[in-house]
Amino acid sequence: MNINERIAALREVMQREHLSAFIFPSTDPHNGEYIPDHWKGREWISGFNGSAGTAVVTMGSAALWTDSRYFIAAEQQLRGTEFQLMKLKMDGTPTIAQWLGKELYDDNNKEVGIDGMVCDTTTVEQLQADLRKEGGITLRTNWDPLALIWKDRPAIPLNPVVIQPMEYTGMSFKDKLQVVRKKLREQHADGMLVAALDDIAWLLNLRGADVHCNPVFVSYLLIDTQKVTLFIDQRKLDGKVLDYLRENDVAVEDYNKVGEGLRNYFEYTILLDPNEINYTLFKKCNAKEIIRGASPIPFLKCVKTETEQDCFRRAMTKDGVALVKFLKWLKPAVEQGGQTEISVDQKLTALRAEQEGFRDISFDTIAGYQEHGAIVHYEATPETDVELKPEGLLLLDSGAQYLDGTTDITRTIALGPVTEEQKKVYTLVLKGHIQLELLKFPEGASGTQLDVMARKDMWREGYNYLHGTGHGVGSYLNVHEGPHQIRMEYKPAPLLPGMTVTDEPGIYLEGKFGVRIENTLLIVPYMKTDAGQFLQFESLTLCPIDTAPIDFSMMTDEEIAWLNDYHQTVYDRLSPYLNKEECAWLREATKAV
């Protein structure tokens, strides 16, 4: 079925269920950012494949809400369908509730549906309140139309679970569990349900392959004062993993019995994070008191152990070696002709795969040449793929999963001559990147307080970007990790030693080109004074930054000194792993300017 046929099939079953509209969020039962194909209902019904967005279908109209990262891609993918694009955070864009209020104003039936299993509790409750204000619209949460109309729906994955050894984690499951239980006692909770897949993988020191690019496995974890129960399809567990779970006193139950587990929960109090636990499961819990609060696990997970920090450095060295080999190859290959966005992506992935401990890419590579670089989350397809020419800019955002850690890097590369406008924009982005890396700040500052450093120079010139400046990165886990972020919007999570965070300012000129420069950083101590502990950033990423597009008249002496110091570090760290020709290329690419 094409998109319009799918919408027609949906409306048939909506009519039988007496629903005037149905809402499809981007999430799964675990509120994941990246989800198994089984739960990609929003993509199936709309054709839009971005990681964030919500589709809504009424009996006579359809709309899709997404953020600025996907405006251009969504316009292209929705073309030819009934869906109209709703640009989040743009003037004049209605909320979903406001739009439904207008669409259903003359409708006698004011009942709207959403699958409560794939939407977190906070979102459902807020939507219920917003819809009531729009003419008394009610929200039904106990029905999944995709079970009827998605005939070739992919199954829930059954990939094997493996143990992540202590040599990579630096902390045993039992030690982690002890800390989690201590945090729960501080919140007066006897236990909690863990739904976030990366939190479960981190706590249990297990990894999987159920989600594209993310080494996690579909499951739930129920913790109380006496025991821990893993709800999972046991076909994923071999004898070694089952023995490991038994040795660590972890009971195993079928994945579909998690609701029963919540109904039978015997403790007095339970912590359920309404931003993580889906609405259906939240309502099934029979604890005497449900404590609504943030799960303690994300904050514990984002502060890396010394072992994890060392593993990150090893992973970044491997990644840097692959990137140097790639960059040495790139420009001559483009000059010879025949290279495209897809082919350079494949080349880089192949070079990474040669590195010890490589497991996968950490997200789908963004290889955007010229105007495609202005599409923030562009992913080349056979239909959009273009040949690279020895001119202009290639934006390359990529990463890998190694047993040691997860990498995330963006470089914008001049494939030949560039325009004065491209030089100006490139230099502004580089200045923002360097200014953030140079920053010293007090422990406990939030990323929002740091964000201006990456933007101040481009703001003077009338440029800005609407995505965040930085996010946490997992230890052989999800490439996006919180709760800390660096962004304009207020994010109160404090920045602490041991956290990883990216530094990725960018400027995007639609129809022309885009520039982004990104390193993954580690937050480390700087100095202690009477004013308290101060922190700084250590660049984990090891890869040359292209100096060809820089307008040095715009750079300060401090910024140039940082660039030279960074390039010397890149050369010193990577050259022992390279052959003579590669070392010569790297020496030239990192020479002092």
Side-chain angles (χ1 to χ4, degrees):
M1 290 190 288
N2 62 35
I3 300 302
N4 291 332
E5 288 171 338
R6 294 170 186 178
I7 293 172
L10 171 64
R11 285 172 176 154
E12 283 185 22
V13 295
M14 282 168 52
Q15 191 169 31
R16 292 203 299 268
E17 293 290 326
H18 305 290
L19 289 174
S20 293
F22 204 87
I23 301 170
F24 297 89
S26 296
T27 51
D28 62 7
H30 306 273
N31 201 32
E33 178 184 9
Y34 300 102
I35 64 177
D37 290 345
H38 178 80
W39 285 293
K40 290 183 178 178
R42 187 264 297 149
E43 178 178 338
W44 185 83
I45 197 66
S46 70
F48 169 64
N49 65 2
S51 65
T54 303
V56 184
V57 178
T58 71
M59 296 304 291
S61 55
L64 181 131
W65 283 255
T66 192
D67 60 50
S68 62
R69 296 173 296 169
Y70 297 110
F71 288 168
I72 299 173
E75 284 177 348
Q76 295 172 350
Q77 293 177 359
L78 298 179
R79 198 169 293 143
T81 75
E82 289 189 39
F83 282 96
Q84 56 180 306
L85 176 61
M86 298 291 182
K87 298 181 178 181
L88 288 170
K89 299 182 181 178
M90 301 300 287
D91 290 342
T93 300
T95 66
I96 291 172
Q98 289 169 342
W99 184 78
L100 283 170
K102 188 173 291 186
E103 291 292 312
L104 305 183
Y105 182 79
D106 294 322
D107 200 320
N108 292 326
N109 177 23
K110 293 185 181 292
E111 188 171 22
V112 172
I114 191 170
D115 182 2
M117 276 297 291
V118 298
C119 200
D120 68 85
T121 302
T122 298
T123 299
V124 170
E125 291 176 342
Q126 185 61 56
L127 189 57
Q128 287 172 329
D130 292 344
L131 288 171
R132 278 196 298 270
K133 294 176 184 177
E134 298 295 332
I137 300 172
T138 60
L139 188 66
R140 177 179 168 185
T141 62
N142 64 347
W143 183 61
D144 175 18
L146 297 175
L148 298 174
I149 63 175
W150 192 354
K151 301 300 184 183
D152 57 349
R153 187 174 189 174
I156 297 174
L158 287 173
N159 298 305
V161 174
V162 297
I163 299 167
Q164 181 72 343
M166 275 280 289
E167 65 185 278
Y168 300 113
T169 67
M171 193 173 185
S172 70
F173 159 67
K174 287 187 175 180
D175 287 342
K176 290 179 179 180
L177 180 62
Q178 187 175 4
V179 176
V180 169
R181 281 181 166 146
K182 180 176 180 293
K183 294 293 183 182
L184 289 174
R185 288 195 297 272
E186 291 173 2
Q187 297 186 50
H188 307 290
D190 297 318
M192 70 178 294
L193 177 67
V194 188
L197 302 185
D198 57 329
D199 287 358
I200 296 170
W202 173 84
L203 179 57
L204 290 173
N205 286 340
L206 297 173
R207 298 293 188 268
D210 282 352
V211 180
H212 178 53
C213 299
N214 296 279
V216 297
F217 47 94
V218 174
S219 59
Y220 292 97
L221 197 69
L222 185 60
I223 301 170
D224 59 42
T225 59
Q226 304 296 320
K227 65 180 186 299
V228 176
T229 304
L230 176 65
F231 294 89
I232 189 171
D233 190 316
Q234 297 186 42
R235 288 174 290 180
K236 301 178 186 183
L237 309 177
D238 64 15
K240 186 177 180 180
V241 174
L242 285 170
D243 288 343
Y244 168 83
L245 293 170
R246 277 192 290 267
E247 290 164 7
N248 284 282
D249 301 317
V250 177
V252 179
E253 293 286 353
D254 186 74
Y255 175 73
N256 293 319
K257 290 186 177 180
V258 62
E260 182 180 327
L262 284 170
R263 283 192 295 269
N264 295 333
Y265 179 81
F266 70 94
E267 305 273 15
Y268 190 85
T269 62
I270 188 170
L271 176 71
L272 295 181
D273 187 340
N275 295 315
E276 175 185 332
I277 306 302
N278 67 62
Y279 184 77
T280 298
L281 289 182
F282 199 98
K283 290 299 182 181
K284 285 186 177 181
C285 186
N286 281 334
K288 296 292 189 296
E289 181 183 353
I290 295 176
I291 297 172
R292 289 172 169 251
S295 165
I297 297 177
F299 203 84
L300 296 170
K301 179 174 85 257
C302 73
V303 178
K304 313 305 180 194
T305 64
E306 291 290 338
T307 298
E308 288 173 326
Q309 293 175 36
D310 289 340
C311 285
F312 258 109
R313 294 183 183 102
R314 290 204 304 269
M316 294 293 178
T317 300
K318 296 172 185 178
D319 214 48
V321 168
L323 284 158
V324 166
K325 292 175 183 288
F326 170 80
L327 291 173
K328 177 180 178 294
W329 166 87
L330 178 61
K331 289 182 183 178
V334 170
E335 289 169 359
Q336 291 175 10
Q339 298 300 328
T340 71
E341 293 167 329
I342 289 178
S343 72
V344 296
D345 172 12
Q346 293 170 338
K347 177 69 174 181
L348 179 54
T349 300
L351 289 168
R352 280 183 162 129
E354 295 174 359
Q355 301 300 312
E356 182 183 1
F358 174 85
R359 287 295 178 267
D360 198 355
I361 55 175
S362 57
F363 56 96
D364 288 316
T365 299
I366 300 167
Y369 179 56
Q370 294 288 69
E371 63 269 21
H372 285 168
I375 304 173
V376 179
H377 274 208
Y378 172 76
E379 183 184 342
T381 66
E383 292 74 31
T384 66
D385 191 25
V386 295
E387 183 174 355
L388 308 184
K389 300 176 183 178
E391 62 184 23
L393 296 174
L394 171 67
L395 189 156
L396 190 63
D397 188 351
S398 65
Q401 295 284 10
Y402 301 93
L403 282 175
D404 317 74
T406 302
T407 70
D408 185 1
I409 174 177
T410 306
R411 290 293 184 264
T412 303
I413 306 147
L415 297 180
V418 294
T419 67
E420 290 304 310
E421 182 181 37
Q422 287 175 325
K423 281 189 174 184
K424 178 182 179 179
V425 167
Y426 183 92
T427 307
L428 286 172
V429 171
L430 178 58
K431 285 169 69 68
H433 177 93
I434 293 174
Q435 284 297 320
L436 187 57
E437 290 225 21
L438 284 169
L439 193 61
K440 318 300 180 190
F441 54 96
E443 181 173 328
S446 77
T448 305
Q449 293 167 308
L450 276 57
D451 181 81
V452 66
M453 297 305 295
R455 300 179 191 262
K456 62 184 182 65
D457 289 295
M458 63 177 70
W459 280 353
R460 286 196 190 101
E461 301 294 327
Y463 296 101
N464 195 22
Y465 54 96
L466 298 181
H467 60 72
T469 301
H471 57 82
V473 179
S475 293
Y476 183 38
L477 270 175
N478 295 3
V479 73
H480 290 164
E481 189 173 88
H484 63 294
Q485 296 182 47
I486 300 176
R487 63 187 310 121
M488 287 197 299
E489 298 86 354
Y490 180 54
K491 294 292 179 181
L495 300 176
L496 301 174
M499 288 179 169
T500 54
V501 66
T502 61
D503 172 8
E504 49 180 310
I507 295 174
Y508 313 94
L509 304 183
E510 185 175 351
K512 292 184 176 181
F513 63 91
V515 175
R516 185 163 62 251
I517 299 171
E518 174 187 19
N519 281 357
T520 299
L521 314 178
L522 177 68
I523 301 175
V524 296
Y526 172 54
M527 68 164 66
K528 197 165 188 176
T529 71
D530 291 342
Q533 179 69 56
F534 285 78
L535 306 175
Q536 62 184 347
F537 293 116
E538 172 192 336
S539 291
L540 292 172
T541 300
L542 298 169
C543 179
I545 294 171
D546 195 353
T547 58
I550 300 175
D551 181 347
F552 285 100
S553 69
M554 298 169 60
M555 301 278 284
T556 67
D557 290 343
E558 184 182 37
E559 290 163 352
I560 291 173
W562 179 90
L563 183 62
N564 287 335
D565 289 344
Y566 174 71
H567 275 160
Q568 187 62 53
T569 299
V570 170
Y571 183 82
D572 291 344
R573 292 276 300 277
L574 297 184
S575 56
Y577 304 95
L578 301 171
N579 63 33
K580 187 176 180 179
E581 287 185 359
E582 292 160 350
C583 278
W585 181 91
L586 183 60
R587 170 57 74 192
E588 180 65 20
T590 58
K591 69 181 181 182
V593 294

